[in-house]
């Protein structure tokens, strides 16, 4: 009976030892799990803080992007207005260019016509120059004739004066002869 009890005590001691070991193992595991839990809690806290910071950064980025987008929209609207103005200006320039091209065509046509007229006038001018040369030759001839006629006139005037003097002398002689005759 004592041996049974000793055996039972030994069994109980073995079981207690096994339970104590199990208990120590469980405590150790619990301690490890607790530490893991604390680590995970800290990690979660850090992750949440990080996520919060990221969210805040994202909000700032989104705000900045929205402001930038607003600026880009304004810039885009300005560029569209400028483009519209430039298109209108281009249309106006095309109209002006078309008018200028027509004017240039007309001016070229006028220039061609003026050149033709100039050729005709040049031809007329050449003919007139020839006629002037002929007339100058004739005029030169006439000048010579006039000079000759003047000389002849001067000679005639001298002869006329001599003739008048001669006639006066004759008249005087006739008077003297009549006087003598009367005497």
């Amino acid at each position: 009976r004592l041996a049974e009890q000793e055996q039972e005590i030994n069994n109980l001691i073995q079981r207690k030892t096994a339970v104590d070991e199990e208990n120590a193992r469980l405590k150790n595991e619990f301690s490890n799990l607790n530490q893991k839990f604390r680590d995970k809690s800290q990690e979660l806290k850090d992750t949440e803080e990080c996520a919060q910071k990221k969210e805040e950064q994202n909000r700032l980025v989104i705000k900045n992007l929205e402001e930038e987008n607003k600026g880009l929209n304004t810039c885009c609207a300005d560029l569209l207005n400028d483009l519209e103005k430039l298109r209108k200006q281009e249309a106006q320039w095309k109209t002006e260019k078309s008018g200028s091209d027509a004017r240039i065509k007309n001016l070229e046509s006028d220039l061609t016509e003026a050149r033709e007229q100039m050729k005709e006038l040049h031809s007329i001018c050449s003919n007139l120059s020839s006629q002037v040369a002929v007339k100058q030759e004739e005029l030169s001839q006439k000048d010579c004739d006039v000079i000759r006629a003047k000389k002849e006139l001067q000679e005639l005037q001298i002869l006329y004066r001599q003739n008048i003097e001669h006639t006066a002398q004759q008249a005087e002689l006739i008077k003297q002869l009549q006087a003598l005759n009367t005497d």
Side-chain angles (χ1 to χ4, degrees):
R1 172 114 186 144
L2 190 61
E4 275 179 24
Q5 282 180 346
E6 276 180 18
Q7 184 62 40
E8 203 174 314
I9 287 170
N10 278 339
N11 286 343
L12 285 171
I13 286 169
Q14 278 180 355
R15 261 179 49 209
K16 183 184 181 296
T17 304
V19 166
D20 283 346
E21 282 174 5
E22 182 68 19
N23 207 7
R25 190 186 63 76
L26 287 172
K27 269 186 186 176
N28 194 19
E29 199 176 317
F30 177 74
S31 176
N32 286 342
L33 285 170
N34 211 9
Q35 186 59 43
K36 277 184 184 177
F37 176 74
R38 278 197 297 274
D39 290 348
K40 289 289 178 191
S41 293
Q42 186 60 43
E43 197 179 318
L44 180 65
K45 190 177 174 185
D46 291 346
T47 304
E48 282 175 350
E49 282 177 10
C50 188
Q52 210 169 4
K53 281 180 186 172
K54 284 262 186 212
E55 202 174 314
E56 187 61 34
Q57 282 177 350
N58 286 344
R59 267 198 296 273
L60 280 171
V61 167
I62 287 168
K63 188 179 176 186
N64 289 339
L65 285 172
E66 282 173 349
E67 285 176 10
E68 194 178 335
N69 193 29
K70 209 181 283 182
L72 286 172
N73 283 338
T74 305
C75 186
C76 197
D78 290 346
L79 286 171
L80 284 172
N81 285 338
D82 289 349
L83 181 64
E84 189 59 34
K85 283 179 190 170
L86 286 171
R87 281 186 177 150
K88 284 180 184 173
Q89 208 171 20
E90 183 190 20
Q92 187 181 342
W93 284 344
K94 278 183 180 173
T95 307
E96 286 175 8
K97 187 184 179 295
S98 174
S100 295
D101 288 347
R103 276 202 302 275
I104 286 168
K105 215 170 190 179
N106 290 339
L107 287 171
E108 283 174 347
S109 171
D110 290 350
L111 184 63
T112 305
E113 200 175 311
R115 281 184 178 146
E116 287 300 316
Q117 286 179 357
M118 232 168 105
K119 277 182 189 173
E120 287 175 24
L121 288 171
H122 205 286
S123 173
I124 291 168
C125 200
S126 291
N127 289 340
L128 288 173
S129 291
S130 300
Q131 289 177 16
V132 164
V134 169
K135 293 289 179 193
Q136 279 178 334
E137 187 64 37
E138 289 175 6
L139 188 62
S140 183
Q141 189 62 45
K142 299 252 186 229
D143 280 347
C144 288
D145 291 349
V146 166
I147 289 166
R148 206 174 309 115
K150 277 183 180 176
K151 279 183 181 175
E152 286 176 8
L153 181 63
Q154 282 174 349
E155 287 170 5
L156 284 171
Q157 283 174 340
I158 290 167
L159 285 172
Y160 178 71
R161 274 197 291 275
Q162 285 174 354
N163 195 15
I164 287 172
E165 285 173 12
H166 195 263
T167 305
Q169 285 173 358
Q170 278 180 349
E172 185 63 34
L173 280 172
I174 289 169
K175 267 186 186 178
Q176 285 175 2
L177 281 172
Q178 281 176 347
L180 282 172
N181 195 17
T182 308
D183 285 344

